[in-house]
Amino acid sequence: MTFDLDLRRAAFGVGEFAGFVLGPRDAGDGQGGLWRAQLGTHWHQQLRSQTAAESSAAEFEVAIAGQIFHRGWTLTFNGRIDQLLRTPGIVTLREIKTVTQPLPANENDLRADYPEYFVQIATYAALWRLGLVAEIGGERLPLPGSVGATVVAPLLRAELLFVEAGSGLAQTVAVTQADEALFQAQLDRITEFLDLRLRARERLRHLTFRPPFHELRPGQETTQAELTAAFERCPLVLLEAPTGFGKTGLLLEFALGQLRAGHLERVLYLTSKSTGQLQVVRTLAGMTAPNGETRATNGASMTATTQIAVWHVRNKGEHCVNDTFHCVRENCAYLDKVAARWPQSGLARFYRFENQARDLETLRAAGRAALICPYEITRAALAFNDVWVGDYNYVFAPNNRSLFFQQPGFDPARTLLILDEAHNLPSRVADAYSHRVLADDARALLAELDHLNAPAPLVHAWESWTLLLAALPVVDVLDPALEADAAETLRRIADQLASLPIDYAALGPQFAALLWQTPLLAAWLEDTRLKKLLWSPRAGELHFTCIDAADAIGETLRGFGGAVFASATLSPVDAFAESCGLTAAHPHHHLRAHTPWRDTAYDVAVDARVDTRFQQRARHHATTAATVALLHESARGPVAVFFPSYAYAEIIARELDRSFPGVRVALQPKLRDLAAQTAWVEESLALSDALFLVLGSSFAESIDALGGRVTHAMVVGPALPEVNAVQQARLAEFSALGREAAFRRVYQIPGMAKVNQALGRLVRAPGQRARVILHCQRFLEPSYASLLAPEYQFGVNVLEDADLAAWLLHKT
């Protein structure tokens, strides 16, 4: 669908019009539709041949187009009717639809189960009767009684031909006047949507908002104007600003300005940090609420009188109110017949009234009360919101992006994309395009398929896949012949899934997910945008690893009206831009925020007494432990010590316990829950002398709490990625750059980015200071030192113990 709100015009295909709903739809979007689509094509071809043999005058895929004026909107339609038959005095419009249920069936049941099909054929009939029909067979048919008419329009018959997918049995259902009334109801539905979008646009034109900051920090006063000017020159901006600068507020003020000016009609604010998403919602509420008043709603703030509609999108599993998350409609009371139950549910309030609370707990409570999946509330309401806040996956991950891209009226070209913490984007997208399969899982599914009496061709194909996985040796790169065998086996399974109905509800969530993954793996092998590696780190385990998704990222970005990448660590910018598919043909502008208060906030010492390379570090364990103890003694409070791995941190913790038992060490636990991480940080700051943290781990959000509370820190070596098959494949991919340049791209840049990220969180506001030891001689090497942020590049070189003692005694 495309629309112009100023001209009050909209255009769409007839099928798109018929399928439009304000609310959820019953037809699932899972893998079960693949085989129906393929069989539908087969039966269309069979019936076309049959009809052509019966009537030489039959026409197929006939274009029908026209315009209708309804409730102040001009609506343009385009479509193709499957078959058009002419007999004396009668024209028959026939649309063919493939269904899974046994035929013949009660006609009222068919109308209840497939309302979209009846709307579609009724639309064709209405367009014909209104005389809004394209040239057909070189003849324009006038309306009955029209001025100058020389012929009488023939009687029109419209019908649906239902075909049972498995057997080919057919049933014809003639369209009645009641069915044709569905066309008018659909016009009402479409124009209601357009009216709501127009209302939103008018609201944005009069949007008022206050600045995000009560007082500007040094450097903030110019960055907003610089960002706007840079975006006007080039709608791809890379904004580099340190942690604590206030990027969220800056970006939202810029985005609201773009919406109010009408340059763009929607904002997607994406970040991988859950705390960052919540901060966006709270900041928007504070900027747009009357007199700054907001009300808290379970972690999300909502304005009392909403000027801008914001939706925080959480993943489907978080919405689920069932004990087990298994999203198969036939197996879930909250999804079964959801479209029929939606109009009476009262849940349309979530898109008709922007000031409704829409936090996760509110959605879950509303969905539970109405017996409708809470995720369907999000899906239904999203199109009516001005700002969508969520994770990168909703734009860049192939399994998740349909939620955004299938929203009615969503046009990336009219959308501003904001990517916060953007340094994570290339690796996150590569992860989204990566998969892993296990022989044990395949073996278990094979037994289940046999137990459920699944179709024999599918069982045989899956058995071949299971045997292939079970025989896999440990290899860094799959043999080309074996890769071809894997591709052929996966394609056979995907073809079976596309041609056979599968009872996914009976399979259960785990086994259904394994089957759903198979077509994705087959498509993955054929995706030329990805740099790929097939390898087996352990026997019976096959990894489909995307080592570079730059082309896929760039393809997605180019569809948007504008994008702003924001992070504290985008440098070196050329390498980052290339990792996002931004080539010379797609210019971008790099903007670095001014932060004069950080220029003297760090006192850095580069400790060249030790070599933390894996082969050398054991010789220096005692020195490393002693340095931690000295740093704590100097700080007279807890210190933060960052390691490249858990194993390294554990070794030094044991060394400290042996040599300096009075130093209390808190070793970062392997926790995923953000609340638990934060609790551990708070407890460790109160009870420990040294916090041992792992660079680049899941604690990245929790250590934000260290800013201003830890004055002394130590980084034990650059956090270079582990040497493994994936990194070796990436080295090979960049080999054309030369050995040193490839090593820099694959190892040094990611490793030093983690160092910059960690140190950036120690100083988050003017007045805060930090003393930092960079504990490895590599930090003196130009190839590493040049990758440090400017504030960390100049410091004291520690070549012997006396140098360290002098630096620790020196007060800045």
Side-chain angles (χ1 to χ4, degrees), residues 388-399:
W388 301 352
V389 182
D391 188 86
Y392 303 140
N393 286 343
Y394 295 108
V395 168
F396 296 98
N399 291 348

Side-chain angles (χ1 to χ4, degrees), residues 442-454 459 506-508 511:
R443 194 176 293 112
L445 175 54
L446 179 62
E448 188 66 14
L449 290 172
D450 184 63
H451 172 71
L452 294 176
N453 295 316
V459 174
L507 275 176
F511 292 137

Side-chain angles (χ1 to χ4, degrees), residues 222-269:
T222 60
T223 307
Q224 179 63 242
E226 291 173 347
L227 174 58
T228 302
F231 187 81
E232 290 175 353
R233 291 194 303 271
C234 176
L236 283 174
V237 179
L238 278 57
L239 172 65
E240 198 163 15
T243 301
F245 177 79
K247 290 191 296 295
T248 300
L250 170 72
L251 292 167
L252 290 176
E253 186 175 15
F254 163 73
L256 293 178
Q258 294 294 309
L259 289 177
R260 182 172 59 188
H263 297 155
L264 297 158
E265 63 187 25
R266 180 174 283 115
V267 173
L268 272 56
Y269 195 116

Side-chain angles (χ1 to χ4, degrees), residues 101-114 118 162 171 173:
Q101 68 187 79
L103 296 177
N106 182 283
E107 291 190 4
N108 290 331
D109 291 341
L110 291 173
R111 287 182 169 86
D113 291 340
Y114 306 103
F118 285 89
F162 288 96
Q171 178 179 355
V173 180

Side-chain angles (χ1 to χ4, degrees), residues 51-128:
T51 303
E54 294 172 352
S55 172
S56 60
E59 300 172 58
F60 306 96
E61 298 295 327
V62 179
I64 297 182
Q67 283 188 343
I68 290 179
F69 187 77
H70 189 75
R71 292 188 174 181
W73 292 90
T74 301
L75 309 177
T76 302
F77 298 85
N78 286 281
R80 288 182 178 274
I81 191 74
D82 287 335
Q83 297 184 3
L84 187 147
L85 297 90
R86 300 177 189 274
T87 56
I90 299 176
V91 168
T92 299
L93 303 177
R94 178 184 292 162
E95 191 72 9
I96 302 169
K97 298 299 180 183
T98 307
V99 296
T100 58
Q101 68 187 79
L103 296 177
N106 182 283
E107 291 190 4
N108 290 331
D109 291 341
L110 291 173
R111 287 182 169 86
D113 291 340
Y114 306 103
E116 177 181 336
Y117 298 162
F118 285 89
V119 171
Q120 185 174 354
I121 188 63
T123 303
Y124 284 127
L127 290 172
W128 184 279

Side-chain angles (χ1 to χ4, degrees), residues 84 141 182 233 271 314 397 402 575 682 730 734:
L84 187 147
L141 296 179
L182 295 174
R233 291 194 303 271
T271 174
R314 310 292 283 269
S402 63
E682 294 298 327
R730 297 191 72 230
F734 290 110

Side-chain angles (χ1 to χ4, degrees), residues 239-241 243 247 271-273 392 419-428 565-571 576 579-580 696 700 750 753-754 757-758 761:
L239 172 65
E240 198 163 15
T243 301
K247 290 191 296 295
T271 174
S272 59
K273 294 172 60 174
Y392 303 140
L419 300 163
D420 204 355
E421 299 294 319
H423 60 277
N424 290 322
L425 181 67
S427 61
R428 279 292 307 279
F565 300 75
S567 171
T569 51
L570 297 180
S571 296
F576 173 78
S579 71
C580 293
K754 294 176 184 177
Q757 282 286 324
R761 290 184 163 91

